[in-house]
Amino acid sequence: MTVREIKEKLKNADLKITPQRLAILEAIYKLNNHPTADNIIDYIKETHPSVAVGTVYKVLDALVENHLIKKVKTENNVTHYDGIIYNHHHLYCSESDRIEDYMDEELDELLEKYFSNKGIKNFNIEEIKLQINGRFKKRGGIKK
Amino acid sequence: MTVREIKEKLKNADLKITPQRLAILEAIYKLNNHPTADNIIDYIKETHPSVAVGTVYKVLDALVENHLIKKVKTENNVTHYDGIIYNHHHLYCSESDRIEDYMDEELDELLEKYFSNKGIKNFNIEEIKLQINGRFKKRGGIKK
DNA sequence: GTATGTGCAAACTTTTTGCACTTCG
DNA sequence: CGAAGTGCAAAAAGTTTGCACATAC
C-alpha cells in the first residue's frame, strides 16, 4: 500500500489528508496484525512524536465510520483494528491474545450455499464471519 | 435452572459454594440476554446489597475460567456474559444494535466435518462461532 | 476563509489489584 | 484449621470529551 494509494482512499472518503491520518493508516498497514490503538500510538510515536492520543482515537473512529478500516473485537475488552476490509475470518488464541486472518473461499461458498437453502427466519443475512478459537501450534507461535 | 443444579455445577468445577457465586449465577440465568457485569451488579444489589464490585468481577472470571459461563464480545467495549455454554452463534443487526442467539446443530456438524477434513495449519481448533450480520425483518423487529 | 482536524488535559467507564478479614468445607 | 473467597478502596487501562488553536483545501 503506497502513500499515493492511502491518499486516494482518504480522498474518496471525503476525509482531509493530514499527516496524522497518513501515519495512522500506514501504521495499520505495516503492523498488519490487528493492532490496538496503543500499538498504533507506539508505532507512530517514532516518526510523529507529537501525535495526541485523543487524535488517534478520533482518526480511528473516522476511518471506521468511512469503511477504510474495521474494528475487531476479542474476548478481552480492547479494540483492535484491521486494515483489511473485505470479508474474512479470524483465528483467535486467547492464551496469546493473538488474532490471525483466515481466508477460505471454499468455506464461504459452502456457507453461502447452506444459508441460501435454509435461510434464517426473520433475518436477512448480509455477511457471515467466523471466529475460530483455539491455540496456535508451537511452530507458528511467538518465541518467548 | 434450580439452585440445586447451580450448586452442582459449582461443585463439579471445584469452586466453593458461596452466596455471592450463587447470586451471580442466578442473575446470569435470569437475565438471559447477555448481561454485563454492571447489569449483574444492579440485579443482585437488590437481594445482596453488600456484594462488592471487585468480587463480582473475580467471580465472573472464575466462572469463565471454569467454563460455567462465557464471555461475549459486542461492538462497544463492554464485556457481556452468557450462561449458555454450549456452542451457539449470534445474529447481529447493526441498525438496531440487537444480538440474538442462533443455534443450528446441522450447521455445527457441517462445519465440524469441513474442518476435520481440511484443518488449519498451525492451529488447533477448539470452537467455531459465527457472527451473522444483517437485518432483522420487520415482523420480528423492535417497534420504534 | 472556513470547515475540518488536532493537541492537550481532564474526566469517565470498566476492570484489576492488594491486603486484611471472613467463610467454606 | 487452612485454603479459598470476599470487601474495600485505590488505581490501572482504555477511551471519550471540550475547547482553543492549527491546517487542508
Side-chain angles (χ1 to χ4, degrees):
Chain A
M1 187 76 59
T2 66
V3 176
R4 168 140 221 93
E5 289 172 309
I6 294 177
K7 286 187 182 176
E8 199 62 29
K9 278 173 182 271
L10 286 169
K11 206 164 196 172
N12 290 339
D14 268 322
L15 292 171
K16 286 185 181 171
I17 295 162
T18 68
Q20 293 85 346
R21 286 177 175 167
L22 289 176
I24 290 168
L25 269 174
E26 280 193 280
I28 292 170
Y29 294 129
K30 286 249 170 68
L31 300 168
N32 63 349
N33 232 8
H34 311 93
T36 61
D38 215 50
N39 297 149
I40 294 165
I41 291 163
D42 278 355
Y43 185 86
I44 66 177
K45 272 274 160 71
E46 283 171 33
T47 49
H48 300 72
S50 68
V51 174
V53 173
T55 300
V56 173
Y57 281 101
K58 284 173 194 163
V59 167
L60 288 170
D61 281 353
L63 296 176
V64 169
E65 217 149 277
N66 289 279
H67 309 103
L68 271 70
I69 62 173
K70 278 188 176 182
K71 286 191 179 187
V72 182
K73 302 294 172 175
T74 62
E75 298 308 304
N76 53 28
N77 51 312
V78 186
T79 305
H80 294 246
Y81 296 88
D82 194 340
I84 298 171
I85 36 137
Y86 55 86
N87 193 40
H88 62 284
H89 310 289
H90 286 133
L91 306 178
Y92 177 67
C93 170
S94 59
E95 197 181 87
S96 59
D97 197 38
R98 191 145 68 99
I99 310 163
E100 284 202 5
D101 290 330
Y102 177 69
M103 286 145 199
D104 186 337
E105 284 186 32
E106 190 188 348
L107 173 66
D108 292 337
E109 272 171 41
L110 183 75
L111 289 171
E112 210 205 309
K113 203 179 294 171
Y114 179 79
F115 281 109
S116 69
N117 278 338
K118 185 163 188 168
I120 300 175
K121 115 186 132 176
N122 288 332
F123 196 78
N124 291 316
I125 300 171
E126 285 170 7
E127 180 192 61
I128 296 175
K129 276 159 72 175
L130 270 71
Q131 183 182 329
I132 303 169
N133 298 319
R135 297 273 177 274
F136 290 102
K137 292 177 189 165
K138 291 275 155 58
R139 312 191 64 210
I142 290 167
K143 293 268 170 58
K144 287 232 166 131
Chain B
M1 187 76 59
T2 66
V3 175
R4 167 140 221 95
E5 289 172 309
I6 294 177
K7 286 186 181 176
E8 197 63 28
K9 279 174 181 268
L10 286 169
K11 207 164 196 174
N12 291 340
D14 268 321
L15 291 171
K16 285 186 179 168
I17 294 162
T18 68
Q20 293 85 346
R21 287 179 174 164
L22 289 176
I24 290 168
L25 268 175
E26 281 193 280
I28 292 170
Y29 294 130
K30 286 250 171 65
L31 299 169
N32 64 349
N33 230 13
H34 315 286
T36 62
D38 214 50
N39 297 148
I40 294 164
I41 291 163
D42 279 355
Y43 185 87
I44 66 177
K45 273 274 162 69
E46 282 172 34
T47 48
H48 300 72
S50 68
V51 174
V53 174
T55 300
V56 172
Y57 280 100
K58 284 173 194 162
V59 168
L60 288 170
D61 281 353
L63 296 177
V64 169
E65 217 149 277
N66 289 280
H67 309 103
L68 271 70
I69 61 173
K70 278 189 177 183
K71 287 189 179 189
V72 182
K73 56 176 178 138
T74 60
E75 292 308 297
N76 49 28
N77 51 313
V78 185
T79 305
H80 294 243
Y81 296 88
D82 194 337
I84 298 172
I85 35 124
Y86 54 87
N87 196 38
H88 64 284
H89 311 290
H90 286 132
L91 306 178
Y92 176 68
C93 170
S94 58
E95 197 181 86
S96 59
D97 198 39
R98 190 146 67 102
I99 309 164
E100 284 202 6
D101 289 330
Y102 176 70
M103 285 146 201
D104 186 337
E105 283 185 33
E106 190 188 349
L107 172 67
D108 293 336
E109 272 170 42
L110 183 75
L111 289 172
E112 209 204 311
K113 203 179 293 171
Y114 179 80
F115 282 108
S116 70
N117 279 337
K118 186 164 187 167
I120 300 176
K121 111 185 134 178
N122 288 332
F123 197 78
N124 291 316
I125 300 171
E126 286 171 4
E127 179 192 64
I128 296 175
K129 275 158 72 174
L130 271 72
Q131 183 182 327
I132 304 170
N133 299 317
R135 296 273 178 274
F136 290 103
K137 291 177 189 164
K138 291 277 156 55
R139 312 192 65 212
I142 291 166
K143 294 268 172 58
K144 289 226 169 137

